[in-house]
Amino acid sequence: MERRRFLGLTAAAAALGMTATVAGCGALGGDDGEVTLRLVAADYDLTGGNTTKKYWDGLVAAFQASHPGVKVQVQVESWDDVDRKVAEMVEAGQAPDLAQIGAYADYAAAGQLYSADELLSIPVQANFLPALADAGENKHVQYGLPFVASTRPLFYNADLFEKAGVKPPTTWDELAAVAKKLKAEGVRTPIALPLGPEEAQAESLTWLFAGGGGWTDDSDRYAIDSEANVDTFTWLKDELVAPGLTGPIAPGKLNRKAAFAAFARGEVGMLNGHPSLLQEAAKQGIEVGQAPLPGVDGPAKKSMGVADWIMAFKQNGHNKEAGAFLDFVFTDENVLKFAGDNDLLPVTVTASTRMETAPEHAKLRQFLKALPTAQLPPVGKTSWAKVSETLKQEMGKAVTPAGSPEAVLGSVARTASAAEAAE
């Protein structure tokens, strides 16, 4: 079972105060009076637009207006590529000053990142949701700064369910039965199973939790090829993929972004969704229903939480400038702007408190309620970036007609064991 990393806000954290103020940044800029920070950031736009770039452009313009001597250049990359491109930059000795990506621990362990203490003002650092701050630690020092969070319930197309005369499933057997009825009604993809390279590690973990497994055991050691995990993928292969219930695109070729877009077009009956899908579905007139994730014998006992990270590399020596920029990034206004625009969850105490009561964020409150029992992947493990990348490339193979869940999980487990031994 996955080690429990709960995301919820605690009373002790709330007692730190509901308003974080940004400390003065002091003199900024290099010997020539100006420093340029390079930020590589992930693209959150589900429709192929440029909303992520617009967000950063607006934030950077506001920051630069109040911080003469510091310029920020932002490079936005798709989630398919962003982790790999940052890794290639670091390998080539051209690390960006800042990276907003999926994993931080390997860079922290290699001594390549500034710690939060070296970057942030005390009020800003103290304002992170406690479990997210803990998950950003490597050897008890925080290097990963949580950027945004989400939880993953089951989403379903309410109109398609009504036409098929079905209700939200609570068990896997019910889920398969509902998918068969949707298929009989002509639904193109009764249940989407995006195991393509964009986010297969997270989609897989959602199912593993529902099946009583996880990527790690109670001792936080990898348990990738556990009996529970093999059983889960065997069920997915035999009961969903083989009968054609996952649609015309093979799961290993289907990315999350494409699955979400198909759901928003009304072509998908069910999928494991997250809040960012709500906005696009609403734009296209899709009524989204939500339900707890089905498990083997009833609703899943735990669900997955996800946090994405932002970090600052030491290579260029710009900790003062990077810290001033990050203090600005984590103001309530900017945190809520990005989270609200993308239907995601804020990572700070004060922004979460405001979202809980703000009418414009009412549709996200149920996701905030799920945070206390949601659990993260093993992001604090130095080996996680390599293991996660391997999972992205391999998990789709486990459910192909000729694929073997046991063989695929066993292969990834050996990779994980080797990576863990090298930590």
Side-chain angles (χ1 to χ4, degrees):
M1 296 174 62
E2 199 79 0
R3 188 174 72 176
R4 299 169 73 86
R5 290 188 178 89
F6 296 121
L7 305 188
L9 182 154
T10 67
L16 287 172
M18 290 297 100
T19 303
T21 57
V22 178
C25 57
L28 300 175
D31 293 337
D32 59 358
E34 184 172 290
V35 161
T36 297
L37 300 175
R38 292 187 302 141
L39 165 64
V40 179
D43 185 6
Y44 287 78
D45 195 306
L46 295 176
T47 62
N50 64 348
T51 57
T52 299
K53 184 178 184 302
K54 286 182 177 178
Y55 169 82
W56 285 114
D57 286 349
L59 185 149
V60 165
F63 172 77
Q64 291 178 167
S66 59
H67 293 78
V70 184
K71 302 295 183 185
V72 184
Q73 295 178 350
V74 182
Q75 176 181 337
V76 177
E77 298 285 350
S78 77
W79 273 112
D80 291 357
D81 303 320
V82 67
D83 289 288
R84 174 180 55 80
K85 289 196 173 184
V86 170
E88 290 173 352
M89 292 176 185
V90 174
E91 178 102 16
Q94 300 174 348
D97 296 285
L98 298 152
Q100 189 273 296
I101 52 178
Y104 69 87
D106 53 339
Y107 299 122
Q112 296 170 321
L113 301 181
Y114 287 115
S115 69
D117 290 338
E118 296 173 298
L119 294 165
L120 302 176
S121 62
I122 291 173
V124 171
Q125 187 178 358
N127 196 31
F128 290 122
L129 291 168
L132 291 179
D134 290 346
E137 292 183 355
N138 180 264
K139 296 183 179 179
H140 309 294
V141 177
Q142 185 181 2
Y143 296 95
L145 311 179
F147 180 70
V148 76
S150 66
T151 55
R152 303 290 173 92
L154 181 73
F155 282 10
Y156 61 92
N157 183 311
D159 291 335
L160 294 179
F161 266 50
E162 183 177 357
K163 290 176 183 177
V166 296
K167 296 180 179 180
T170 60
T171 68
W172 282 0
D173 285 346
E174 290 178 5
L175 184 147
V178 168
K180 288 175 182 176
K181 289 185 178 180
L182 291 170
K183 184 178 181 181
E185 289 291 322
V187 176
R188 187 171 186 262
T189 302
I191 179 163
L193 184 63
L195 295 176
E198 181 183 0
E199 207 190 31
Q201 85 290 357
E203 176 71 15
S204 298
L205 184 56
T206 300
W207 289 99
L208 297 183
F209 277 160
W215 293 134
T216 58
D217 60 21
D218 288 336
S219 300
D220 203 34
R221 297 189 65 83
Y222 286 114
I224 290 171
D225 58 347
S226 68
E227 182 178 355
N229 291 353
V230 172
D231 287 348
T232 293
F233 265 84
T234 299
W235 186 88
L236 291 173
K237 177 185 176 182
D238 294 345
E239 303 300 327
L240 296 186
V241 181
L245 302 178
T246 55
I249 301 175
K253 302 292 185 182
L254 180 64
N255 279 330
R256 179 195 62 172
K257 191 172 184 177
F260 282 12
F263 184 90
R265 294 194 300 268
E267 299 171 1
V268 175
M270 299 175 281
L271 51 65
N272 295 326
H274 69 62
S276 64
L277 180 54
L278 293 177
Q279 187 177 107
E280 188 57 29
K283 286 179 184 176
Q284 301 195 42
I286 302 300
E287 183 180 349
V288 180
Q290 298 179 43
L293 296 172
V296 177
D297 300 316
K301 294 180 175 61
K302 55 183 176 178
S303 62
M304 186 186 65
V306 174
D308 301 326
W309 305 92
I310 192 165
M311 61 212 70
F313 285 88
K314 290 181 176 180
Q315 180 177 319
N316 300 316
H318 295 154
N319 65 304
K320 286 193 303 182
E321 293 79 11
F325 180 69
L326 289 167
D327 273 355
F328 190 74
V329 166
F330 288 112
T331 59
D332 280 0
E333 179 183 5
N334 289 325
V335 170
L336 285 169
K337 169 69 173 169
F338 191 85
D341 284 354
N342 292 280
D343 283 332
L344 292 167
L345 304 180
V347 296
T348 64
V349 172
T350 53
S352 294
T353 300
R354 287 176 58 175
M355 180 173 276
E356 286 175 352
T357 57
E360 65 269 26
H361 298 306
K363 62 186 176 181
L364 294 175
R365 288 174 191 160
Q366 55 196 308
F367 296 94
L368 285 170
K369 290 178 182 178
L371 282 175
T373 56
Q375 298 175 43
L376 270 70
V379 293
K381 295 174 79 67
T382 303
S383 55
W384 176 241
K386 179 176 179 58
V387 173
S388 177
E389 187 60 33
T390 303
L391 290 167
K392 289 179 183 182
Q393 302 301 322
E394 297 298 319
M395 290 316 301
K397 299 175 183 177
V399 296
T400 60
S404 164
E406 186 173 10
V408 170
L409 288 165
S411 176
V412 177
R414 289 189 290 275
T415 297
S417 294
E420 192 168 40
E423 289 184 359

